Amino acid sequence: MADQLQPTKSRFPGAGLAKGLAVTLRTMTKKTVTEQYPDAQPELPPRTRGVIGLFEENCTVCMLCARECPDWCIYIDSHKETIPAATPGGRERSRNVLDRFAIDFSLCMYCGICIEVCPFDALFWSPEFEYAETDIRDLTHERDKLREWMWTVPAPPALDPGAEEPKEIAAARKTAEKLAAQQAAPAAPATAEPQPAPSAGEPRRPASSAVPHAEEQARAAEQPTRAQGDSRQQTDQPRQEGQE
């Protein structure tokens, strides 16, 4: 057991130094490629954290991104607006209207928490990074500037062939199929559903599947009812004459 815990020794001294020098020699022999920036723009990966874009239509002013921001660099102002009832006698609704949405990139540390916690996908990463300013106050981008960054957000990657369909697309497809079925239902002729064959001793029901409840109630009223006093149960044995 003690022999197994002993560290293994190299075959010759200086083996580690030789491996390090080999890596250095391989690097020195490779050709150096220098990108001539800014004449040649670098090819950045799609998930590069450059600047944050705002899709204003999806923002519901929930203030979740501003509360979760560790640097408190997101500023949001809003007001409530009353929406009249859509139908007579309905209730009026109120909604939040966005007045200001600004991000101070001089304080932002690009952690991405605001994008992750947004429940309505209103914030996106853009790979653009060329927004340096000579004045630090110009690094506070208002919602109009943040909307312009949305045009630089790359398209999402395509799904794998075996991936699950997005919930938004699945819900929209089911709604469209349901509306199409409702529109095609009046045009199709109404066909009666086949009824099972009645058993022996069972009265035959009408072919129509919709039997009025009034006929069943009238049929039940015509049947004789037992007197209230006669509550004894009948047996299968015949009753003898003269027996009370």
Side-chain angles (χ1 to χ4, degrees), residues 6 27 29 42 57 68 72 122 133 157 160 162 170 172 178 187 204 210 212 219 223 226 228 230:
Q6 292 180 358
T27 307
T29 55
E57 285 76 3
E68 297 295 333
W72 293 86
E133 302 289 346
D160 295 335
K178 184 177 180 180
R204 183 180 296 274
R219 192 181 301 110
Q223 297 178 358
R226 181 184 297 177
Q228 296 181 358
D230 188 9

Side-chain angles (χ1 to χ4, degrees), residues 57-138:
E57 285 76 3
N58 288 357
C59 182
T60 59
V61 200
C62 64
M63 306 293 292
L64 190 58
C65 57
R67 291 197 300 265
E68 297 295 333
C69 178
D71 293 334
W72 293 86
C73 62
I74 301 178
Y75 312 108
I76 300 176
D77 294 333
S78 64
H79 70 278
K80 287 190 176 182
E81 186 180 61
T82 302
I83 302 177
T87 57
R91 294 180 56 187
E92 296 182 348
R93 297 187 305 167
S94 62
R95 66 173 183 178
N96 294 325
V97 180
L98 184 65
D99 293 333
R100 184 195 182 197
F101 195 107
I103 300 178
D104 189 356
F105 287 101
S106 63
L107 298 176
C108 179
M109 64 179 184
Y110 303 92
C111 62
I113 294 179
C114 57
I115 299 176
E116 296 295 334
V117 300
C118 181
F120 301 103
D121 293 336
L123 299 174
F124 297 87
W125 278 119
S126 170
E128 294 293 329
F129 61 92
E130 297 178 330
Y131 52 94
E133 302 289 346
T134 56
D135 192 350
I136 194 174
R137 291 173 293 184
D138 296 335

Side-chain angles (χ1 to χ4, degrees), residues 11 23 29-30 37 41 43 63 68 81 139 161 178 192 221 236:
R11 296 180 181 178
V23 175
T29 55
K30 290 183 179 179
Y37 177 84
Q41 294 292 331
E43 296 182 2
M63 306 293 292
E68 297 295 333
E81 186 180 61
L139 288 175
K178 184 177 180 180
D236 296 338

